[in-house]
């Protein structure tokens, strides 16, 4: 993938009490030229915003930045309706939407919502079918009839809007292979970065499955969720004993991210807080105004 297509974003608040700050952050990031913001999707938690309602609200109050649920809780969002949601958001926002997809992780809470529990294998099968069906129900054309194991539709007209890119949060081997066959991007789980064993073991599974399906593996993005401190002075070590990124000065961040793109094929970075909350406004400004432009300049040389 061309280094000119590298995207930069941030992870935002998703609690109802955080709505004013969420809007301020998204609008600041929009002004500062960031590419994307992300929200979590946990519909079984009462104080959380519905991810797609929040995405529509924020996209309506910004001009350039794209949004996505990192990642959509698929078991609670049937694929045909999810297709209608994301194509509508794409039409309303001028294409500023990415579809983040997950097979479902917290099954005890998902089942509490009245959703039938699936085995891990069935959940991944449903996840792959859902990605296929969302794409079939996008981009116009003849009515779609689809008879899968988990999803069936009969003579449903696709929306006359292109399908958004689909990025997954795949972790297991079967889910990673599904990403290679049908998705457009991958977000490594557990904030794993390009030097981690998780990335080194997982990405080849995606690439092999893509090649077996006749796809170009390089067209499947790897977008990293990336926590870390931004310090005024360089840190003696930017990674801990386990090799996990800690952060550092602006120059240290720029060197690290530039290397990730040019040497390891990274195609996106979403900055997250080092704690349990979202990135604060000061850190977001430094990320967008100091680090991101310098990385963009370095990878364009």
């Amino acid at each position: 993938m061309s280094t000119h297509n590298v995207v930069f974003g941030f992870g935002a608040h998703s609690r109802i009490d955080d709505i004013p700050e969420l809007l301020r952050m998204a609008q600041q990031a929009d002004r500062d030229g960031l590419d994307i913001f992300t929200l979590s999707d946990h519909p079984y938690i009462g104080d959380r915003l519905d991810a797609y309602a929040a995405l529509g609200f924020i996209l309506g109050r910004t001009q350039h930045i794209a949004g996505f649920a990192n990642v959509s809780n698929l078991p609670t969002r049937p694929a045909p309706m999810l297709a209608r949601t994301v194509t509508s958001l794409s039409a309303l926002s001028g294409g500023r939407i990415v579809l983040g997809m997950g097979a479902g992780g917290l099954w005890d809470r998902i089942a509490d919502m009245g959703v039938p529990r699936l085995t891990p294998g069935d959940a991944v099968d449903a996840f792959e079918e859902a990605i296929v069906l969302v794409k079939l129900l996008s981009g116009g054309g003849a009515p779609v009839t689809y008879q899968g194991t988990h999803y069936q539709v009969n003579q449903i007209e696709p929306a006359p809007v292109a399908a958004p890119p689909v990025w997954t949060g795949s972790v297991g081997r079967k889910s990673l292979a599904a990403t290679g066959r049908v998705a457009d991007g991958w977000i490594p789980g557990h904030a794993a970065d390009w030097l981690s064993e998780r990335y080194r073991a997982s990405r080849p599974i995606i690439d092999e499955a893509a090649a077996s399906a006749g796809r170009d593996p390089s067209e499947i993005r790897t977008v990293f969720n990336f926590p870390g401190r931004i310090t005024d002075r360089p840190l003696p070590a930017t990674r801990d004993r386990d090799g996990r990124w800690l952060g550092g000065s602006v120059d240290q961040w720029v060197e690290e991210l530039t290397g990730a793109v040019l040497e390891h094929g990274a195609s996106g970075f979403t900055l997250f807080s080092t704690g349990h909350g979202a990135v604060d406004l000061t850190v977001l400004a430094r990320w967008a105004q100091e680090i991101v432009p310098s990385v963009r300049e370095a990878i364009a040389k």
Side-chain angles (χ1 to χ4, degrees):
M1 179 171 292
S2 168
T3 57
H4 297 286
N5 293 329
V6 177
V7 297
F8 298 87
F10 76 100
H13 293 277
S14 62
R15 294 182 305 176
I16 290 173
D17 290 345
D18 296 325
I19 292 171
E21 186 172 7
L22 168 61
L23 182 58
R24 285 196 297 271
M25 293 176 69
Q27 289 178 327
Q28 175 178 298
D30 193 40
R31 291 191 297 270
D32 288 341
L34 289 185
D35 301 297
I36 199 158
F37 70 94
T38 82
L39 297 171
S40 60
D41 186 20
H42 297 292
Y44 34 74
I45 300 177
D47 72 349
R48 299 292 181 91
L49 293 163
D50 174 81
Y52 281 92
L55 286 172
F57 173 75
I58 297 299
L59 291 172
R61 301 289 294 272
T62 53
Q63 295 182 319
H64 308 290
I65 197 166
F68 82 112
N70 188 2
V71 290
S72 300
N73 193 293
L74 177 62
T76 62
R77 299 183 184 278
M81 287 304 301
L82 185 57
R84 292 297 193 234
T85 298
V86 295
T87 52
S88 295
L89 285 172
S90 183
L92 289 163
S93 67
R96 294 186 291 125
I97 188 74
V98 172
L99 175 55
M101 288 285 273
L106 300 176
W107 270 99
D108 286 342
R109 297 309 312 274
I110 292 169
D112 289 342
M113 297 281 288
V115 176
R117 188 186 292 268
L118 296 178
T119 67
D122 285 344
V124 174
D125 289 340
F127 158 84
E128 184 167 1
E129 284 188 14
I131 296 173
V132 171
L133 186 52
V134 167
K135 292 187 175 187
L136 288 173
L137 291 175
S138 309
V144 171
T145 294
Y146 180 86
Q147 297 297 318
T149 301
H150 300 277
Y151 293 104
Q152 300 85 37
V153 300
N154 184 47
Q155 292 292 294
I156 300 299
E157 295 179 1
V161 179
V166 179
W167 299 352
T168 77
S170 295
V171 175
R173 176 175 288 273
K174 184 174 181 178
S175 180
L176 291 164
T179 292
R181 286 190 293 269
V182 299
D184 307 299
W186 173 53
I187 307 160
H190 307 285
D193 67 30
W194 46 94
L195 299 184
S196 68
E197 178 58 31
R198 180 179 294 274
Y199 172 76
R200 289 195 295 269
S202 298
R203 181 68 208 207
I205 299 171
I206 293 173
D207 292 347
E208 290 165 11
S212 295
R215 307 182 69 202
D216 180 354
S218 69
E219 292 301 311
I220 303 171
R221 290 181 177 272
T222 304
V223 180
F224 293 94
N225 289 343
F226 200 57
R229 297 164 52 211
I230 303 174
T231 59
D232 292 329
R233 296 182 180 180
L235 294 182
T238 58
R239 292 180 177 271
D240 64 19
R241 293 180 180 178
D242 297 323
R244 194 175 187 87
W245 174 253
L246 298 171
S249 66
V250 169
D251 287 344
Q252 287 174 317
W253 276 85
V254 172
E255 181 180 5
E256 182 77 18
L257 299 191
T258 301
V261 174
L262 299 181
E263 298 170 22
H264 300 282
S267 55
F269 307 95
T270 304
L271 181 68
F272 276 75
S273 168
T274 55
H276 295 293
V279 180
D280 68 37
L281 282 166
T282 301
V283 173
L284 179 61
R286 297 199 69 184
W287 167 247
Q289 297 170 16
E290 299 178 49
I291 295 173
V292 170
S294 296
V295 177
R296 285 174 169 156
E297 181 179 358
I299 63 179
K301 290 181 179 178

